[in-house]
Amino acid sequence: MTNLYCSKGHENSPGSRFCLKCGENLVDNYLGGSIQPGLILGDRYLIVRQVGQGGFGRTYLAEDVNRFRELCVLKEFSPQVQTAYVLQKAEELFQREASVLYKLQHPQIPRFRELFRVNIAGKEYLFLVQDYVEGQNYSYLLNERIKHGLRFTEAEVKQLLQQILPVLEYIHSLGVIHRDISPDNLILRNSDQLPVLIDFGGVKQVVAVVASQYYQPGVSASPPAATLLGKIGFAPPEQMQTGSVSPHSDLYALAVTALVLLTGKQPQELIDNYNLSWQWRREVSVSQMLGQVLDKMLAPRPGDRYQSAQQVLQALNPAPVSYPPTQPPIYTPEPTSGTVAVSPTPPPPLPPPQKTWWTPTKIFVTALVLTSTAGLVLWGLNQGDRNPITVNPTPTPTPTITQPTNPLDKYSPEERRRKQRLSDRRQQLGIDGNFYINLVNEIFWDKNPSLRGRTLSDGVEDESLRAQWDQTASDLLDKLTPLSTKARRQLGTYTAAERDQWKVEVNQINVGSRSLYDLGDAPFFKAFPQEKGKNFIDQPIGQIWHAFVSDKLSAIQAGSAFQKIVFDSGATSKTVSGTLKPTNGKVFIADLAQDQSLELTLQANPKVLLSVYSPSGKIIFLEDSSERSLSVQLPESGFYEFVVVSTASATADYQLTLTVENPTPPPELTPTPTETSTPTPTPTESPTESPTPIPTPTN
């Protein structure tokens, strides 16, 4: 049975009524429609799961089977009234909107693929198909920070504005207004950490027009009136009152989005209901420059706002001071994210001064990067020790820059060498610095709960704790070394959507995700036994579990951890054997028939565990079991899965034997003889009944 997912992507067991993580009603999501996971639409799009639901309709994650099973998003529109007239008008309007969407070709906007119509169980559906963006929207990211008492910093919000304003400038140049900018419609993409703009309001306008004008067949449709779209509090007053939109409408909504991220408050909590003025400054303090920019974007009168995204960018990025191209590069710390960093590895020493390459543009970019990390606490790098730039008041200013202090100089030679070794190892393993710091912090805090959230000092008073943090980091790197380079580089980016993709891939070779996870569990729990029984999947350490599973998927697909058992012609028994390295395993499948009897025996080290699953996955005969035999009558036809996994500390041999017999037919009934005057003739030859041969399982 297929697992259920809420609109946020949380996985739930079959039969769940509510999401165990967020409480969302799963019955409405899955029983309210006929589109279920596993359904293929238009002979092309394989539904993976539902990922959202709103006024527009349901949104699904799907695989494009015609494009190497690329993930994509299907946005459903199904009119409540099913008539030929309504469907025709809806499709015409969607085609008109599609012509606009086709024009949008920007790397931070999901590409529009196609519009298609399909009949499912007698009901007509229209779908828009767009590229899938792997990441989380800013509403989710904010809620996660609020749980830990955090908000977005000014530096992060300013960076968001600088990264999304060029996107708005692009769409506005094409005459397109988004109309619905909010944290829900901005996704932080995992692959490059750039914000992506989704859910253009023009599509929703089609829905609104169809709903309001085309439900009665035969009624002539006048030109659509301005449709009131946008979220209350985010859209400017004139948009909500009259439907009037302009580029400054999107800029207004973007400013509200920035305030929500800075304060953690919704717009209704930041507006004075008496005079309808923004009162956000009592919630957060920002620089004068950013405050003035936000106030102008939020001006009540449209004419008082910035009229283009370019104007906002110019206000955020005033022309930099022109310094002569003779200065050495300024050290830029590695950016971090998430919780307070306890003990990141300090940077390498500064390079010697270079000549003639330090341009004004590079000085400005460096200053921008430094600004973008100002709101994050980075232990081991004390920005206060850095001397400021001073400029001589001469007609041709020549700044004097004092070389910043190498943070390693604060520590003893032994500690400097230790931290440098950690830095070199992490970089050699290709592990993301942000993820590394967050993960070591979590492990360190689990061992020292009283220190949770505390920033260790650079002084001698915390020297022993710094040594403990570094030892935790060293142990962690040891445990990550067995992973493949690809898996290590993806740490910090694995998502529920990726797990969905893995399930589809192993299902193609008749292996279930439970067997795949068995292989991944062994090395993970060997390295982190304290995680057994915990809900770690969405924690930083859960990323390591994903990495192990990813490597096991590759091993299954390569055939080193997978084998199909095929019985020889006429044989009823088959034996497979091999040797397992520590924490390694193998999945075997055999195509068997319902009502056949199965006898299974395993000869192996007691540390080799055995699991046996039915084709549908509904029946678990054995799971991570130390039992060595199984006798059962098979309840289903299909591929049965047999998983052997070694938890031993040394290599272990195994020998797995399957014996399969067809069911014995019931004996024929012999009629009771009756007494007659005519003797029963004795047959000259007694026929013998041949046993029914066991069919050879199909490949």
Side-chain angles (χ1 to χ4, degrees):
M1 186 177 294
T2 305
N3 288 339
L4 304 181
Y5 293 83
C6 72
S7 61
K8 300 179 180 63
H10 302 144
E11 184 176 12
N12 297 271
S13 59
S16 300
R17 295 178 59 84
F18 298 94
C19 177
L20 297 177
K21 190 172 182 69
C22 66
E24 181 177 311
N25 189 328
L26 299 175
V27 176
D28 291 345
N29 280 359
Y30 283 88
L31 299 183
S34 58
I35 301 176
Q36 302 291 331
L39 182 67
I40 296 181
L41 303 181
D43 296 324
R44 178 169 184 175
Y45 299 105
L46 173 66
I47 300 297
V48 175
R49 61 182 169 91
Q50 182 179 324
V51 294
Q53 183 171 356
F56 174 67
R58 292 180 175 86
T59 302
Y60 300 93
L61 179 66
E63 285 188 332
D64 188 342
V65 297
N66 289 354
R67 291 180 58 87
F68 308 102
R69 293 190 172 272
E70 287 181 350
L71 290 174
C72 57
V73 171
L74 270 59
K75 293 182 176 292
E76 165 202 343
F77 171 60
S78 177
Q80 297 176 359
V81 177
Q82 289 284 319
T83 67
Y85 181 80
V86 170
L87 292 169
Q88 176 190 348
K89 287 299 180 181
E91 193 162 10
E92 289 175 1
L93 286 170
F94 267 109
Q95 291 286 6
R96 187 186 311 164
E97 184 62 30
S99 65
V100 176
L101 295 175
Y102 268 124
K103 292 192 296 184
L104 301 178
Q105 300 291 327
H106 192 281
Q108 288 171 257
I109 299 174
R111 181 170 53 91
F112 173 67
R113 294 191 178 189
E114 70 163 326
L115 170 72
F116 77 97
R117 180 173 171 179
V118 65
N119 185 292
I120 305 173
K123 186 176 182 180
E124 294 290 333
Y125 292 82
L126 287 172
F127 289 94
L128 286 176
V129 185
Q130 290 180 298
D131 282 351
Y132 170 66
V133 180
E134 186 175 347
Q136 299 287 355
N137 65 36
Y138 276 78
S139 179
Y140 174 88
L141 297 174
L142 176 62
N143 289 334
E144 288 299 302
R145 294 199 179 194
I146 290 175
K147 291 177 184 177
H148 297 90
L150 302 173
R151 308 290 185 271
F152 279 79
T153 66
E154 175 178 347
E156 291 173 309
V157 168
K158 185 177 178 183
Q159 183 181 47
L160 170 63
L161 295 175
Q162 291 166 330
Q163 291 173 336
I164 206 65
L165 282 165
V167 184
L168 295 183
E169 183 180 11
Y170 167 76
I171 67 170
H172 294 163
S173 70
L174 298 177
V176 177
I177 310 297
H178 186 279
R179 310 185 194 201
D180 197 16
I181 293 176
S182 71
D184 288 335
N185 291 335
L186 289 170
I187 292 180
L188 182 63
R189 186 163 53 199
N190 289 341
S191 61
D192 54 14
Q193 296 296 294
L194 286 176
V196 177
L197 190 59
I198 65 170
D199 280 359
F200 281 71
V203 177
K204 299 172 184 176
Q205 184 180 29
V206 173
V207 178
V209 170
V210 172
S212 62
Q213 297 189 17
Y214 297 124
Y215 274 178
Q216 297 299 324
V219 177
S220 59
S222 57
T227 307
L228 306 183
L229 296 172
K231 290 183 177 65
I232 296 176
F234 288 92
E238 72 276 4
Q239 180 178 337
M240 299 306 298
Q241 293 168 4
T242 67
S244 174
V245 292
S246 295
H248 58 69
S249 308
D250 283 347
L251 301 178
Y252 183 101
L254 181 59
V256 178
T257 297
L259 293 184
V260 170
L261 297 178
L262 285 167
T263 65
K265 305 282 187 181
Q266 291 304 305
Q268 294 83 349
E269 302 175 86
L270 301 173
I271 296 179
D272 187 322
N273 292 327
Y274 181 75
N275 56 23
L276 300 180
S277 62
W278 289 97
Q279 301 294 326
W280 61 270
R281 291 181 183 273
R282 61 192 176 194
E283 300 291 342
V284 66
S285 177
V286 300
S287 65
Q288 181 179 6
M289 181 271 292
L290 180 60
Q292 291 174 346
V293 170
L294 293 175
D295 284 339
K296 187 173 178 66
M297 295 171 74
L298 293 167
R301 293 181 64 253
D304 293 337
R305 301 173 195 153
Y306 295 107
Q307 299 301 301
S308 70
Q310 183 59 37
Q311 290 179 0
V312 184
L313 280 170
Q314 290 174 351
L316 288 172
N317 303 321
V321 178
S322 296
Y323 294 110
T326 57
Q327 306 303 325
I330 300 173
Y331 168 70
T332 303
E334 183 175 18
T336 64
S337 63
T339 58
V340 176
V342 177
S343 180
T345 304
L350 287 168
Q354 303 292 321
K355 295 182 179 180
T356 69
W357 72 274
W358 188 244
T359 64
T361 301
K362 289 177 179 176
I363 290 177
F364 168 66
V365 172
T366 301
L368 176 60
V369 175
L370 286 170
T371 302
S372 70
T373 61
L376 303 176
V377 180
L378 188 62
W379 180 88
L381 181 62
N382 190 339
Q383 297 290 340
D385 291 345
R386 185 175 299 151
N387 294 329
I389 298 175
T390 58
V391 182
N392 297 325
T394 59
T396 304
T398 303
T400 301
I401 300 180
T402 302
Q403 191 87 333
T405 303
N406 182 357
L408 285 171
D409 293 340
K410 301 174 183 177
Y411 312 120
S412 66
E414 179 185 355
E415 187 170 358
R416 288 202 299 269
R417 288 192 295 270
R418 185 177 72 224
K419 293 184 183 299
Q420 189 63 60
R421 285 195 300 269
L422 287 174
S423 175
D424 293 343
R425 286 188 65 195
R426 180 192 65 77
Q427 294 181 50
Q428 289 169 1
L429 292 173
I431 299 170
D432 177 76
N434 296 340
F435 169 77
Y436 164 77
I437 291 172
N438 289 336
L439 180 59
V440 178
N441 283 345
E442 283 300 316
I443 299 174
F444 179 83
W445 286 333
D446 284 345
K447 295 178 179 178
N448 303 276
S450 62
L451 298 176
R452 180 167 289 275
R454 174 185 159 187
T455 302
L456 301 184
S457 70
D458 297 328
V460 294
E461 67 276 6
D462 280 345
E463 185 174 359
S464 63
L465 289 176
R466 295 198 304 271
Q468 184 179 342
W469 195 98
D470 290 346
Q471 184 60 51
T472 301
S474 179
D475 293 342
L476 173 66
L477 294 176
D478 288 341
K479 294 175 180 179
L480 299 183
T481 300
L483 291 167
S484 69
T485 301
K486 177 183 177 183
R488 289 195 300 263
R489 287 177 177 171
Q490 287 186 253
L491 287 168
T493 67
Y494 293 106
T495 64
E498 197 142 12
R499 295 199 303 272
D500 292 335
Q501 175 69 20
W502 294 342
K503 292 176 184 178
V504 172
E505 291 182 26
V506 293
N507 289 166
Q508 292 172 350
I509 55 175
N510 300 301
V511 174
S513 59
R514 188 178 282 110
S515 297
L516 170 63
Y517 294 166
D518 283 345
L519 298 190
D521 285 347
F524 176 75
F525 289 127
K526 181 73 171 179
F528 304 97
Q530 71 277 8
E531 296 301 321
K532 281 192 176 181
K534 293 183 180 179
N535 184 15
F536 59 80
I537 199 73
D538 293 323
Q539 302 303 317
I541 203 164
Q543 289 288 302
I544 302 178
W545 177 86
H546 283 82
F548 278 119
V549 173
S550 174
D551 277 350
K552 297 305 180 183
L553 172 63
S554 299
I556 288 175
Q557 292 173 324
S560 60
F562 170 74
Q563 181 178 338
K564 186 176 181 180
I565 297 177
V566 180
F567 289 78
D568 297 331
S569 179
T572 61
S573 182
K574 182 73 174 181
T575 298
V576 290
S577 60
T579 301
L580 297 175
K581 294 181 180 179
T583 73
N584 278 10
K586 194 164 186 176
V587 180
F588 298 92
I589 64 171
D591 192 4
L592 306 176
Q594 184 177 0
D595 294 331
Q596 286 181 327
S597 61
L598 168 67
E599 297 286 341
L600 175 151
T601 58
L602 175 65
Q603 297 179 21
N605 183 307
K607 292 291 187 179
V608 174
L609 304 181
L610 174 64
S611 300
V612 180
Y613 304 119
S614 70
S616 66
K618 296 179 181 179
I619 301 175
I620 301 174
F621 299 101
L622 296 174
E623 186 171 29
D624 294 334
S625 175
S626 58
E627 294 188 27
R628 291 297 176 258
S629 63
L630 175 67
S631 179
V632 66
Q633 185 174 10
L634 302 180
E636 303 171 355
S637 294
F639 285 95
Y640 284 76
E641 300 169 55
F642 308 89
V643 187
V644 288
V645 176
S646 175
T647 61
S649 56
T651 57
D653 296 332
Y654 68 90
Q655 181 174 290
L656 179 67
T657 300
L658 304 183
T659 301
V660 181
E661 298 281 356
N662 278 328
T664 303
E668 294 185 3
L669 295 177
T670 304
T672 304
T674 58
E675 190 174 326
T676 62
S677 58
T678 305
T680 302
T682 302
T684 57
E685 184 178 345
S686 298
T688 58
E689 183 177 350
S690 300
T692 303
I694 297 175
T696 301
T698 57
N699 291 334

